[in-house]
Structure formats: C-alpha cells, structure tokens
C-alpha cells in the first residue's frame, strides 16, 4: 500500500485526475499484475475530498454475480425521488471495480456483472429485481482496472470497453523499480533501530540491486510453460521480498 512517487505513478495519477475530475468519463486501467494499478487508484480515491466524494470498491472474482454488484451499489446510494437514487446530496459516488474481467462467462457468452455495469453506465439505470421497475442512479463515476485477457481472465465485451477512456499501464523501467524499493528499505534502515553505518554503506541500494538481479535471472531461467504455467513472476514478488527484509 506504500506509494513511492516516480514518473510512472505521477503520470497515472495525473491521468486519473484529468479524466475523473475533468471529463468525468469512466476510466479503465489495463496492465499486468504488479504494475500498481490498484495501489495508485486507491491512493487517488483517498486523496479526494470526503465532503464531495464517497467511494465503493468492488473486487471481481469468478464467483461475482450481477446480484452481488447491484446489492453493493444499492446499499451505497439513497432514495431521492420515486425512481431516482444517488449518493447523499452534494456528493458523487466513485465506484472502483478491480479485476474487471474476472467474472466467469456464462452459457451465452456473457459476463453478467459486466452486463449490469454496461446497462448502468450506458443508460443510467438498473431494474428493480422485485417488480422490474427502473431505478435511475445519479452522480456516479466509474474507475476500473484489469489485467490483459488470459488464463482465468476473459475478453471483455468491446461494447462495454467502448464506454471507457482506456489506458495501458506498463511495467516501470528498472531505474524506477530501483528507486521504489530502495526508498522503502532506506526508510526502514533509517528509523533509528539499526547501526548508522548501515545507512552510510548504502545497504538499501545494494540489497535492491541484488534483489533485481536475482529477479531478472529467475525470469530467464524459469519461463512459464504449459506444464509449469504457474511460473509467473512480477513486481509483487519483489514487494514480498522487500517486505520480508
């Protein structure tokens, strides 16, 4: 959950600020696991004024249903008029959907939670599940994140993706990775617990460099294959090693 500012994180935060608070259109971040999509988005949401914004985070999985999504949204909004709902007056609701393409595909080729979101974002309403009356949802904005299709992740309906401003989040360059993890270790070593000679020796930078060298060697030596499909390494593995240190 620690965000170390780099050119990549600042760029992504600026995109979120420009789209969410500028054009106010839905935004979709697409990138491999470990590119900090979720961390940056949560930091952005937390930076918004609590007097003007409330948030709802929904983590999709293969077991997520349209009913689950609708219940989460309905629990967050309040009734305004006969058929109109929304966040408290004067506020907007930011809905962050993580792992957008994880819901399973049904018999008809549909991901039902995504079909519900498409109806909500495109038409601005949902159907009441008891009497099928319309429920108009006002003052909402959507931020979503997902990894590229593959494995358990399905291809998302292109008509749904068309509603978003889509941005690709790439892996940061090695210099940025070095800065991120060295900064985290420096804060740990400089907390007054360790001998000052550790700081003077630049141990944080040396450990991070060794960590990166090992990480790159493992990626080359242990590539993913059909029989060893679990050989997938990303920045989360670097984060775990750094956390252990």
């Amino acid at each position: 959950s620690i965000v170390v500012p780099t050119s990549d994180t600042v760029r992504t935060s600026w995109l979120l600020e420009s789209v969410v608070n500028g054009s106010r259109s839905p935004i979709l971040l697409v990138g491999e696991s470990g590119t900090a999509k979720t961390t940056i988005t949560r930091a952005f949401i937390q930076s918004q004024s609590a007097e003007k914004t409330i948030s709802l985070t929904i983590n999709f999985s293969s077991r997520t249903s349209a009913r689950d999504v609708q219940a989460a949204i309905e629990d967050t909004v309040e009734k305004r008029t006969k058929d109109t709902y929304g966040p408290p007056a004067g506020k907007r609701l930011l809905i962050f959907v993580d792992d957008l393409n994880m819901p399973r595909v049904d018999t008809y080729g549909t991901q039902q939670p995504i079909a519900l979101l498409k109806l909500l974002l495109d038409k601005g309403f949902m159907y009441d599940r008891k009497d099928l009356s319309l429920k108009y949802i006002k003052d909402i904005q959507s931020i979503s994140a997902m990894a590229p299709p593959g494995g358990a992740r399905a291809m998302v309906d292109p008509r749904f993706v068309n509603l978003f401003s889509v941005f690709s989040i790439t892996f940061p360059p090695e210099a940025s990775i070095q800065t991120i993890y060295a900064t985290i270790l420096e804060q740990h070593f400089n907390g007054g617990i360790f001998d000052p000679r550790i700081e003077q020796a630049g141990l944080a930078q040396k450990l991070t460099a060794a960590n990166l060298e090992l990480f790159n060697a493992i990626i080359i030596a242990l590539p993913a294959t059909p029989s060893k499909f679990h050989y997938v390494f990303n920045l989360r593995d670097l984060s775990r090693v750094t956390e252990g240190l």
Side-chain angles (χ1 to χ4, degrees), residues 61-124:
S61 71
S62 60
R63 301 178 63 87
T64 304
S65 67
R67 185 182 295 274
D68 296 332
V69 176
Q70 183 164 345
I73 295 174
E74 289 178 344
D75 288 343
T76 309
V77 298
E78 58 186 33
K79 192 171 185 178
R80 292 182 176 178
T81 62
K82 178 182 177 181
D83 58 358
T84 302
Y85 298 78
K91 295 188 176 183
R92 63 172 175 176
L93 171 61
L94 273 181
I95 302 176
F96 174 42
V97 180
D98 203 6
D99 291 326
L100 180 68
N101 53 353
M102 283 296 290
R104 68 179 182 85
V105 179
D106 63 21
T107 307
Y108 307 100
T110 302
Q111 291 173 285
Q112 294 181 13
I114 289 178
L116 175 70
L117 288 178
K118 180 179 181 299
L119 177 67
L120 176 60
L121 297 179
D122 191 19
K123 305 299 183 182

Side-chain angles (χ1 to χ4, degrees), residues 28 100 114 146 156-166:
L28 173 61
L100 180 68
I114 289 178
M146 69 179 190
V156 177
D157 182 357
R159 293 174 296 178
F160 176 66
V161 176
N162 187 54
L163 302 175
F164 290 82
S165 297
V166 182

